[in-house]
Amino acid sequence: MAKKEKEKKTDASEFKEQLFMKRRNTGLAMSDSDIAKADKFCEDYKKFLDTGKTEREACAEAIRLAERSGFVPFDKNAQYKAGDRVYLCNRGKSVILAVIGKKPVENGVNLVAAHIDSPRIDLKQNPLYENEGIAYFKTHYYGGIKKYQWPVTPLALHGVIYKADGSRVDVKVGEDEGDPVLVITDILPHLADEQYKRPAPKLIQGEELNILIGSRPFRDDKASETVKLNIMKILNEKYGIVESDFISAELECVPAYKAKDVGFDRSMVGAYGQDDRVCAYTALSAILAIKGAPDKTAVTVLTDKEEIGSVGATGMSSFFFENTVAKMMTSLGKDSFSATRRCLANSSMLSSDVSAGYDPLYADVYEKRSSAFLSCGLAFNKFTGSRGKSGSNDANAEYVAKVRRIMDDANVSFQFCELGKVDVGGGGTIAYIMAKYCMNVIDSGVPVLSMHAPYEVSSKADVYEAYKGYRAFLINA
């Protein structure tokens, strides 16, 4: 009898091994060799984060790396062949890179798209003022932030100013060792009784996100606003600007932190802007790694404005991508509206955006069986949206099966998840925008802790698996 019971247990174990899904929620068991590869990959990733803290900077760095890998600006008058590597830049804020494939582009492209804008604090167009001997910048926050996280964070000022004569001035202050930083102040706890009574979303209000920039007056007691005047004199001497030039400026305040390893084991990366530059960098690296000519044309898109709805001429809702495909079709001998539409409908896409990493400290907002765990690989979301999948793409089962096979064949560790519990919240990506062309699209990305905070955390293992997954998709989809 005991022997039969033992045999039953053995059978059950074998069936479980065959039939149950193997959940990797204790992290990847990586070899020393794989750990070394992930660590090396993330050293360059951290450099990308530090170099590209704004969409303009990330776009410029992506182009620099692409040109180093043999990509050239797209020429509408050129005739391209399989293996050619080209890129198109849109207003310095978004870029499309392509490696021409062996099959006709009309058969579709393999596409990975990520965004390079991140939540931040923008300056208003009339920002500079003085109040009781202190100079400030007025701001308007960009994207979904917890406003209370931004005061008392060292900030750097990045951006461009176009003067009245049309000349451009690049601004970057707060990043170098000898630079001053800027800061948003907060009230001391001893006087914060009334502030504590505010609900969390209003603990710090939008109009209170004013940036402290100076307190030293211009040496003339007879003038008014002498602190503002002194700041304006400093800016004029450094950049040659006058106050009205702020009207035609794009100036962004971002955390002055550098990307760093996190944890005694150095297993994670901590930095500002990993949503979504972790997916942008891995998607960029994946297309740069393609050797020769793939079967189908491989495309990586790094786009702007996702954090505020993918709007504007540089966002995914613009016709930049569609126009680019049309130009490619023309250069490859297919000059028709219907050929462009067939290309788009035959394409396959990974909408590459970060997912919410499971945080045990806030477990009540997650459904554990459907969560993305750090160090468990590339995270796929069949659907995003909120509550009843509102605003979601919701990929079809046939396409999910295809993507699974590609990842399995390339030995990529991956997981399927959703963004928190049903009815707790949710979020959207660019997936639904591209699905309107009838192409197959699914969301994928790297799990991140503290998403949208001034300092986000990702796992090096997940970053490396995302790179492997995107490379496999671009080549084999």
Side-chain angles (χ1 to χ4, degrees):
M1 186 71 179
K3 187 178 179 183
K4 285 183 180 177
E5 285 177 359
K6 187 178 179 183
E7 285 174 357
K8 268 189 174 181
K9 274 189 179 180
T10 303
D11 289 344
S13 298
E14 288 176 357
F15 277 125
K16 282 180 72 174
E17 182 69 22
Q18 294 170 17
L19 302 177
F20 280 16
M21 184 166 65
K22 296 173 182 64
R23 300 187 62 81
R24 301 187 185 96
N25 56 1
T26 54
L28 294 176
M30 298 177 73
S31 67
D32 290 342
S33 173
D34 286 339
I35 290 172
K37 289 177 183 176
D39 287 350
K40 184 176 184 301
F41 184 83
C42 285
E43 286 305 303
D44 288 332
Y45 168 51
K46 288 187 291 184
K47 292 175 186 174
F48 179 81
L49 288 171
D50 289 341
T51 303
K53 284 192 175 182
T54 70
E55 67 283 3
R56 286 181 183 271
E57 293 170 352
C59 184
E61 181 64 5
I63 290 172
R64 187 188 72 81
L65 294 172
E67 289 180 339
R68 195 175 72 179
S69 295
F71 283 76
V72 297
F74 181 84
D75 181 354
K76 65 180 180 180
N77 298 314
Q79 295 294 310
Y80 290 104
K81 63 184 184 305
D84 285 342
R85 302 156 78 84
V86 297
Y87 71 85
L88 291 91
C89 179
N90 181 8
R91 296 168 171 84
K93 293 184 176 183
S94 55
V95 61
I96 295 176
L97 306 100
V99 179
I100 307 301
K102 299 171 186 175
K103 294 181 179 178
V105 178
E106 198 172 348
N107 289 10
V109 303
N110 296 336
L111 166 66
V112 180
H115 67 91
I116 49 177
D117 62 314
S118 295
R120 59 179 189 256
I121 307 290
D122 286 347
L123 265 57
K124 292 186 178 184
Q125 304 317 120
N126 184 23
L128 179 58
Y129 76 102
E130 177 181 334
N131 188 357
E132 300 296 340
I134 298 177
Y136 296 94
F137 280 145
K138 292 292 293 182
T139 70
H140 195 132
Y141 63 92
Y142 174 97
I145 67 170
K146 287 182 172 180
K147 292 187 281 292
Y148 65 77
Q149 294 178 331
W150 287 77
V152 300
T153 294
L155 298 173
L157 185 67
H158 293 236
V160 296
I161 302 171
Y162 280 90
K163 297 193 286 187
D165 62 4
S167 59
R168 169 174 167 162
V169 178
D170 291 300
V171 176
K172 185 188 286 188
V173 179
E175 297 292 351
D176 292 340
E177 187 62 34
D179 281 358
V181 296
L182 309 179
V183 71
I184 299 167
T185 59
D186 193 7
I187 192 169
L188 63 162
H190 311 71
L191 301 177
D193 283 355
E194 290 303 313
Q195 185 189 50
Y196 289 152
K197 294 174 185 177
R198 296 180 183 180
K202 295 183 178 180
L203 192 65
I204 300 292
Q205 303 198 50
E207 289 292 352
E208 294 173 337
L209 293 171
N210 300 317
I211 298 173
L212 179 66
I213 61 170
S215 65
R216 184 170 291 165
F218 185 77
R219 293 187 178 278
D220 186 343
D221 293 339
K222 296 176 183 177
S224 62
E225 297 184 290
T226 53
V227 177
K228 174 183 173 179
L229 178 61
N230 193 47
I231 294 296
M232 202 61 247
K233 182 174 179 290
I234 291 168
L235 295 177
N236 177 260
E237 290 172 351
K238 186 174 178 64
Y239 300 113
I241 64 169
V242 296
E243 186 177 8
S244 62
D245 290 328
F246 284 116
I247 293 170
S248 48
E250 288 181 358
L251 295 169
E252 308 168 9
C253 277
V254 298
Y257 310 130
K258 301 296 185 186
K260 295 280 189 179
D261 290 344
V262 172
F264 291 114
D265 56 2
R266 296 181 175 269
S267 61
M268 296 165 285
V269 173
Y272 161 73
Q274 296 199 72
D275 177 10
D276 186 37
R277 293 183 194 118
V278 64
C279 295
Y281 182 74
T282 47
L284 171 67
S285 299
I287 198 166
L288 300 188
I290 294 175
K291 306 298 182 187
D295 284 341
K296 294 178 75 172
T297 295
V299 177
T300 287
V301 177
L302 306 181
T303 188
D304 183 27
K305 296 290 192 291
E306 192 276 343
E307 295 295 358
I308 58 170
S310 297
V311 294
T314 55
M316 208 70 213
S317 290
S318 76
F319 286 109
F320 176 50
F321 176 72
E322 185 178 334
N323 292 346
T324 297
V325 172
K327 290 176 185 177
M328 287 174 55
M329 298 295 288
T330 302
S331 71
L332 294 165
K334 290 281 186 180
D335 189 8
S336 72
F337 177 80
S338 58
T340 298
R341 288 295 176 183
R342 282 195 293 275
C343 170
L344 293 168
N346 290 331
S347 295
S348 298
M349 176 182 171
L350 295 184
S351 170
S352 179
D353 207 339
V354 297
S355 193
Y358 181 83
D359 191 335
L361 299 180
Y362 305 98
D364 57 330
V365 300
Y366 299 90
E367 197 273 284
K368 195 171 181 180
R369 292 178 56 83
S370 301
S371 293
F373 290 85
L374 254 62
S375 300
C376 291
L378 178 59
F380 287 94
N381 292 70
K382 183 180 183 296
F383 53 86
T384 54
S386 59
R387 295 172 175 84
K389 301 186 181 181
S390 177
S392 173
N393 164 61
D394 205 356
N396 62 63
E398 296 89 339
Y399 187 53
V400 175
K402 177 182 178 180
V403 171
R404 283 179 62 193
R405 285 195 298 274
I406 293 170
M407 298 300 134
D408 283 336
D409 290 347
N411 196 30
V412 174
S413 294
F414 64 93
Q415 51 189 319
F416 272 78
C417 60
E418 58 182 307
L419 198 67
K421 284 181 177 177
V422 177
D423 288 339
V424 166
T429 67
I430 63 173
Y432 76 97
I433 298 169
M434 303 304 287
K436 71 183 179 182
Y437 295 118
C438 295
M439 70 172 68
N440 281 315
V441 184
I442 189 171
D443 283 295
S444 64
V446 174
V448 167
L449 297 179
S450 304
M451 190 193 299
H452 280 216
Y455 204 71
E456 301 166 314
V457 177
S458 65
S459 160
K460 292 182 179 180
D462 298 332
V463 175
Y464 188 62
E465 292 301 313
Y467 158 69
K468 286 169 53 183
Y470 295 155
R471 185 181 61 185
F473 178 86
L474 288 172
I475 296 170
N476 299 314

